[in-house]
Amino acid sequence: MSEHRRKPPESQGGGRAAARRAAQQPSGRRAAPARDAVAGSPSAPHGEPRPAGGRAEARRAAQRGGRRRGAESGGGGPAGPGGRRGGAGPGNRRPGKKRIIDYPRYNKRGWRRWMPSWKLVSGLCVGFLGTLVAVIAIAYWMVSVPNVAQAAQAQNNVYFWADGSQMVATGGEVNRQIIPYEKIPAAMRYAVISAENKTFETDSGVDPQGIARALLNMAKGGHTQGGSTITQQYVKNARLDDQSQTITRKFKELFISIKVGATKKKSEIMAGYLNTAYYGRGAYGLQAAARTYYSKDAKDLDPSQCAFLASLLKGATYFDPAGATEIDPAATPEQNTKNAMNRWAWILDQEVKDDHLSAADRAKYKQFPMPDKPKKNAQLSGQIGYLVSLAKSYFVNSHSQGMDTTDLQKDLDRGGYEIHTTFDKKKVQALEDVVKKVRKENIDAKKRPEKDTFVQFGAASVDNKTGAIKAIYGGEDATKHFTDNADETGAQVGSTFKPFVLAAGMEYGKRDPKGPADQGDSQRTLVSPKSIYSGMNNLKIKNYDGSLWADKDGQQWRQTNDGHQSYNPPSYAIDLRYAMQESVNTPYVQLGMDVGTDKVRDVALAAGLRKESLASSNVPSFSIGTSSPSAIRMAGAYATFATSGMHRDPYSVEKVTKQGQVVFQHEDKATRAFSAAVADNVTDVLKSVVEEGTGTHAKLTGRDVAGKTGTTDENRSAWFVGYTPQLATAVTMYRLDDNETSKKREFLSMFGTGGQDKIHGASFPSTIWHDYMEQALNGVPAAAFPTPEPIGDKVYGGGMSPSPSAPPSPSDSPKPSDSPSPTPSVTPSKSPKPTKSCGKWDWNCSGGPGGTNAGADQGTTTGNVGGPSGSPSPSSSKPGNGPQGNIFGGPGGG
């Protein structure tokens, strides 16, 4: 081959391979010089110059020129083999094209690189404000003003029995007629303006500060607040499509309020507000309120009546003189009347200050315009009204839906709910029929006006295993007698409280009087039903350390037994089982002192009684029933014994739906109140009461029954509370003067009531219990209570000591007649049933269903020899001054 056709040798550092290596290098690195090979490289010939690389080398040369310019302007990068600094890093390299948002800033170093420029800040602010304006404009365009006609529509709430059949449809019976602005009295408009929104005539309809407060309070988890202006309140009242208390709803209401304020006249807003506002008692709108509270049309209201109706807008639950204890136990008629009178007077004074009412006209209205008594729907007659009220209050107090109880109450009154209750229709009817029969056969107010007037009965029946309330008896008629007698009435429970004392003795134990003073509470011995206490009448009550108890004035306490009877003289030693069987007071008062009345209180609360219903535990009589829980709560507490110490709160609603959606579902929640050994031993002792003691009238054919009678001081109330393994029922009877003409509610003595010398728990209450339970358990298989395991020690309380003489104890002998009998002058000995027949209501007859002791219930009558009276007088307890509440509340209830 000729010389001129030979290829020149390829450069070791150039060519296509070099180009590939250059392309693979990171952009921040400086390419190796292509002129010469690196000194000492094994790939380069020794002593020979490096040939040119052709087109690839030219391209690399052009790239090096661009990098040099970048290095000269930005610097950075380590020096390359040729001695020059490499190209700029990612943050320092000038981009080929300028960015729209220059962040991080390309021509700054250090912290300045992360500081936005004023142009960027300004642009962001303008963009944010523009977006906000656009959002507000869209929201303003999308929302619509409320429809007053729609807001005034009424719907029914439908209540169902436990079997799914309909009980009653109610809730939409109130007239919600819309009236025009011209028929709204000027006095009403002025009263509302002075009370709610003084700047109504001039403001824009929105109060930003009020909204901010509501949002802040909501964020903190507190109660929500309504709008501060009349416009905002009108919007809130009229929005039936969304009653939840959320931030989203608040923003919607804000935009609606702005639109309403901009598009509606003040007269339209005022009329809309007064036509949709809630005034309590199911009344929506001024016309309905005028008819409900004063039986007149709105146009005929005077300024004084208008001021009262305006006060209801603050919250009818707390300003309706009729009270609302089913919503809040604190909302008693007495407290609500006081609240209403104060606000009524304040509104009138504000009207004078705002020049809406002259001082001369104000002086005309010194007398508070007391409204009419609540009217009852005829559908709610009999027991239905009590059942509806109980279920309604339970739902309101147990489920908030994100609302407070007042708002939920309003929403419930609007209707549309389906409430599925726990009430058994047959059991409710059976309980009502039994009470009616007893009343008809025995209570005659015309024949015995001084003895049989104001007689009341109340009862409640609870499923032991679930806590479901199966039946209640609230009174003769819910449309005539408004107080639910199955709820808290103020009637003291008497000796039916003693099982909690026994349970406390077995749960916590008797304190050691000889233990170190600083460890007296920790040195305890668990009590057994065989423990020995004194049955002496007029007994001096001692502290656990043996010292005589005295009140703050130094007065000692002497406890008496019913009929001033002493048991088992001369030693007076009886065991706790026998004391429970015969309902002897002195052993259980002393046991309460030995254990500690605070511990007795703890056991009662654990069993299910409400704190608000318990009397002061600072006196010895606390242990024998000076408290006044409801029949519902007493049945629920005894059910705790029946279930071996597992407690479930009584409840009346299984589930609630609205528009097909479940908004509430009851959840089974069980807590251990005390050990199974304690509960089962209490049950075993209470079985003795029914089988051989004061509760024999409650015996059921072929069934285990446990229960306790109770009679209170001065025979003001009588109880029987008992249970089988399936069902617990409490029955109460009392006389309560709550006539409208009475100055105060007062419990009256029942000596002579029903033609009886004295009303015991063993008389009418146990008869009602027996007859109802026979029907309620018809078809239900009989079951047995658990066999109790041994518990505690045979302690000696109140200074008693072991004695050779055996005390009366039904547990120590198979038959009562085999045990030592008390002295005849103290208590009659047991004898076989006589052959003569006895009348149904003759509880003192020895031939009755329960033998000779059927009527020997020992109540809580207490002595005052050398000490204070046995129990607080009714005027200082629940009937007159105590809180009236329900079993749920809230709060609640009880």
Side-chain angles (χ1 to χ4, degrees):
M1 184 177 294
S2 61
E3 185 69 23
H4 69 274
R5 302 186 95 183
R6 294 178 61 188
K7 287 185 178 180
E10 291 183 359
S11 172
Q12 297 296 318
R16 280 184 253 180
R20 283 196 302 271
R21 287 193 299 271
Q24 291 170 357
Q25 289 179 351
S27 60
R29 294 179 56 188
R30 183 171 181 269
R35 263 193 329 270
D36 303 309
V38 178
S41 172
S43 63
H46 291 282
E48 292 185 9
R50 182 180 175 184
R55 283 180 290 180
E57 180 63 25
R59 284 195 298 273
R60 288 194 295 273
Q63 291 171 357
R64 286 197 299 272
R67 291 195 181 98
R68 286 195 203 100
R69 287 191 297 273
E72 290 171 0
S73 62
R84 301 188 183 200
R85 296 182 62 83
N92 297 328
R93 184 174 70 252
R94 182 189 296 272
K97 186 177 180 181
K98 189 172 183 179
R99 293 176 295 175
I100 297 176
I101 300 178
D102 182 21
Y103 192 82
R105 300 175 70 181
Y106 73 92
N107 61 346
K108 300 293 182 182
R109 296 182 181 179
W111 63 270
R112 291 182 178 85
R113 187 163 175 262
W114 303 99
M115 290 294 294
S117 65
W118 68 270
K119 293 181 180 180
L120 180 60
V121 173
S122 300
L124 290 175
C125 290
V126 171
F128 174 76
L129 292 175
T131 303
L132 183 61
V133 170
V135 170
I136 292 175
I138 293 173
Y140 182 85
W141 175 76
M142 291 182 65
V143 299
S144 58
V145 298
N147 186 333
V148 178
Q150 181 183 7
Q153 291 178 356
Q155 299 183 66
N156 281 328
N157 293 315
V158 183
Y159 292 81
F160 296 90
W161 295 102
D163 63 4
S165 61
Q166 182 172 315
M167 179 195 303
V168 66
T170 183
E173 67 277 2
V174 177
N175 179 15
R176 305 188 188 194
Q177 179 182 352
I178 299 173
I179 57 176
Y181 180 80
E182 294 75 21
K183 290 189 177 182
I184 297 175
M188 187 66 194
R189 303 197 302 265
Y190 290 143
V192 171
I193 290 174
S194 292
E196 303 287 331
N197 185 190
K198 293 180 181 293
T199 61
F200 170 72
E201 298 290 351
T202 57
D203 63 36
S204 62
V206 176
D207 179 11
Q209 291 183 344
I211 295 174
R213 285 194 303 270
L215 293 176
L216 179 62
N217 198 41
M218 193 183 303
K220 291 180 178 179
H223 289 298
T224 57
Q225 296 174 335
S228 296
T229 68
I230 288 176
T231 303
Q232 289 174 257
Q233 293 180 55
Y234 160 54
V235 170
K236 179 178 182 294
N237 292 339
R239 292 197 63 225
L240 295 178
D241 60 318
D242 183 7
Q243 290 299 313
S244 61
Q245 293 293 334
T246 62
I247 293 179
T248 301
R249 178 188 170 175
K250 290 296 180 183
F251 276 114
K252 285 183 180 179
E253 289 179 356
L254 171 63
F255 292 127
I256 297 173
S257 298
I258 293 173
K259 194 167 188 175
V260 169
T263 59
K264 294 284 186 180
K265 297 179 181 178
K266 291 292 184 180
S267 59
E268 293 181 80
I269 296 173
M270 175 61 76
Y273 173 55
L274 294 177
N275 277 320
T276 58
Y278 181 66
Y279 297 82
R281 300 188 188 181
Y284 278 88
L286 180 61
Q287 177 66 13
R291 300 299 307 176
T292 298
Y293 287 92
Y294 292 111
S295 301
K296 61 173 61 176
D297 292 328
K299 63 183 179 61
D300 298 325
L301 295 169
D302 63 41
S304 179
Q305 293 167 336
C306 289
F308 165 70
L309 293 179
S311 71
L312 294 174
L313 300 176
K314 186 74 173 177
T317 299
Y318 302 102
F319 291 91
D320 181 358
T325 53
E326 71 277 7
I327 303 301
D328 187 342
T332 61
E334 296 79 12
Q335 184 60 48
N336 278 19
T337 300
K338 182 179 179 181
N339 295 342
M341 293 178 68
N342 290 339
R343 187 159 178 82
W344 161 80
W346 177 82
I347 290 175
L348 290 176
D349 292 340
Q350 290 298 306
E351 289 187 71
V352 174
K353 186 182 296 185
D354 298 335
D355 294 328
H356 294 152
L357 183 69
S358 68
D361 288 338
R362 168 66 179 92
K364 297 178 182 177
Y365 304 112
K366 296 181 179 180
Q367 187 74 24
F368 177 71
M370 184 64 71
D372 300 340
K373 294 289 184 181
K375 303 177 182 66
K376 292 291 184 177
N377 182 357
Q379 288 181 290
L380 302 179
S381 62
Q383 298 305 302
I384 299 298
Y386 302 121
L387 299 173
V388 167
S389 178
L390 184 61
K392 184 177 179 180
S393 63
Y394 177 79
F395 171 55
V396 170
N397 286 283
S398 300
H399 181 64
S400 65
Q401 291 183 302
M403 298 182 246
D404 59 28
T405 55
T406 300
D407 284 341
L408 183 55
Q409 174 70 38
K410 293 179 183 178
D411 196 47
L412 192 61
D413 283 339
R414 289 188 179 101
Y417 287 90
E418 292 187 354
I419 296 95
H420 297 262
T421 74
T422 62
F423 306 129
D424 186 308
K425 184 177 182 179
K426 293 181 179 179
K427 289 182 174 63
V428 170
Q429 189 64 54
L431 185 55
E432 182 179 23
D433 290 345
V434 168
V435 175
K436 283 183 176 180
K437 181 180 179 181
V438 170
R439 177 182 287 277
K440 181 179 179 180
E441 294 180 0
N442 298 276
I443 307 302
D444 191 342
K446 294 181 179 179
K447 183 177 180 180
R448 292 179 294 271
E450 295 183 356
K451 303 296 183 180
D452 287 8
T453 54
F454 309 123
V455 172
Q456 295 292 336
F457 293 94
S461 193
V462 174
D463 186 295
N464 295 339
K465 296 182 179 179
T466 65
I469 302 172
K470 291 301 181 181
I472 64 168
Y473 180 83
E476 292 183 78
D477 191 326
T479 63
K480 300 175 182 178
H481 175 73
F482 302 146
T483 302
D484 183 357
N485 295 345
D487 213 327
E488 284 187 24
T489 61
Q492 296 178 357
V493 294
S495 292
T496 57
F497 199 79
K498 289 175 183 174
F500 305 121
V501 186
L502 178 60
M506 294 188 290
E507 178 76 7
Y508 294 102
K510 174 184 177 292
R511 290 175 287 187
D512 183 3
K514 298 181 180 179
D518 59 344
Q519 298 181 13
D521 194 56
S522 63
Q523 301 295 316
R524 292 176 175 267
T525 303
L526 296 184
V527 172
S528 162
K530 297 180 180 180
S531 297
I532 305 301
Y533 276 79
S534 174
M536 178 189 290
N537 180 59
N538 203 30
L539 180 70
K540 288 185 177 181
I541 300 302
K542 301 176 181 179
N543 294 307
Y544 82 93
D545 60 3
S547 62
L548 292 177
W549 184 91
D551 63 12
K552 61 181 180 180
D553 298 324
Q555 295 294 312
Q556 296 176 2
W557 189 283
R558 285 183 179 269
Q559 182 62 52
T560 62
N561 295 320
D562 185 57
H564 297 277
Q565 294 182 4
S566 292
Y567 291 79
N568 196 37
S571 66
Y572 304 108
I574 60 175
D575 67 17
L576 293 176
R577 178 184 292 272
Y578 184 81
M580 184 75 76
Q581 174 183 306
E582 302 302 320
S583 200
V584 188
N585 290 333
T586 51
Y588 280 94
V589 173
Q590 187 59 60
L591 175 61
M593 300 302 293
D594 290 347
V595 176
T597 51
D598 59 327
K599 300 301 184 186
V600 175
R601 183 184 182 89
D602 290 345
V603 165
L605 291 172
L609 301 190
R610 296 177 67 245
K611 181 179 179 181
E612 295 80 3
S613 69
L614 297 182
S616 171
S617 60
N618 295 328
V619 292
S621 62
F622 175 75
S623 295
I624 49 175
T626 56
S627 299
S628 54
S630 68
I632 293 172
R633 284 287 169 174
M634 285 298 288
Y638 271 48
T640 304
F641 296 128
T643 54
S644 297
M646 296 302 296
H647 170 69
R648 290 172 174 84
D649 269 340
Y651 71 99
S652 57
V653 177
E654 289 287 359
K655 70 175 181 178
V656 178
T657 63
K658 186 175 185 181
Q659 297 177 347
Q661 300 295 319
V662 177
V663 297
F664 170 77
Q665 180 74 55
H666 171 74
E667 296 180 6
D668 182 37
K669 295 181 180 179
T671 58
R672 178 155 292 284
F674 24 76
S675 69
V678 169
D680 294 343
N681 273 276
V682 170
T683 294
D684 192 59
V685 171
L686 294 182
K687 281 180 63 179
S688 299
V689 174
V690 176
E691 292 172 357
E692 304 178 71
T694 62
T696 51
H697 269 90
K699 284 183 179 180
L700 299 176
T701 305
R703 293 185 184 275
D704 274 3
V705 176
K708 184 70 187 76
T709 54
T711 307
T712 61
D713 190 34
E714 295 300 321
N715 202 203
R716 291 188 174 96
S717 61
W719 290 72
F720 185 82
V721 187
Y723 54 95
T724 66
Q726 301 94 343
L727 199 64
T729 300
V731 180
T732 181
M733 176 183 177
Y734 56 90
R735 289 182 65 208
L736 176 61
D737 183 2
D738 57 356
N739 193 287
E740 295 180 11
T741 60
S742 302
K743 294 183 179 179
K744 62 180 180 180
R745 301 173 77 247
E746 181 181 4
F747 282 89
L748 305 175
S749 172
M750 291 192 294
F751 291 116
T753 296
Q756 303 295 312
D757 292 337
K758 181 177 182 179
I759 300 298
H760 297 89
S763 55
F764 298 123
S766 67
T767 298
I768 292 171
W769 189 95
H770 170 273
D771 293 353
Y772 160 73
M773 292 290 279
E774 286 281 15
Q775 297 182 52
L777 296 173
N778 184 31
V780 178
F785 289 121
T787 301
E789 62 182 72
I791 190 172
D793 295 326
K794 185 177 181 179
V795 303
Y796 293 81
M800 302 298 289
S801 61
S803 172
S805 62
S809 175
S811 61
D812 292 337
S813 58
K815 297 180 181 179
S817 59
D818 294 337
S819 61
S821 300
T823 304
S825 61
V826 177
T827 182
S829 61
K830 289 182 170 62
S831 60
K833 295 181 182 180
T835 56
K836 68 168 186 159
S837 61
C838 298
K840 178 176 178 61
W841 307 112
D842 188 2
W843 289 283
N844 293 320
C845 176
S846 60
T852 60
N853 290 327
D857 170 43
Q858 314 304 321
T860 60
T861 304
T862 51
N864 57 6
V865 180
S869 61
S871 62
S873 63
S875 61
S876 63
S877 61
K878 288 292 177 70
N881 304 314
Q884 300 295 314
N886 63 70
I887 67 168
F888 311 112

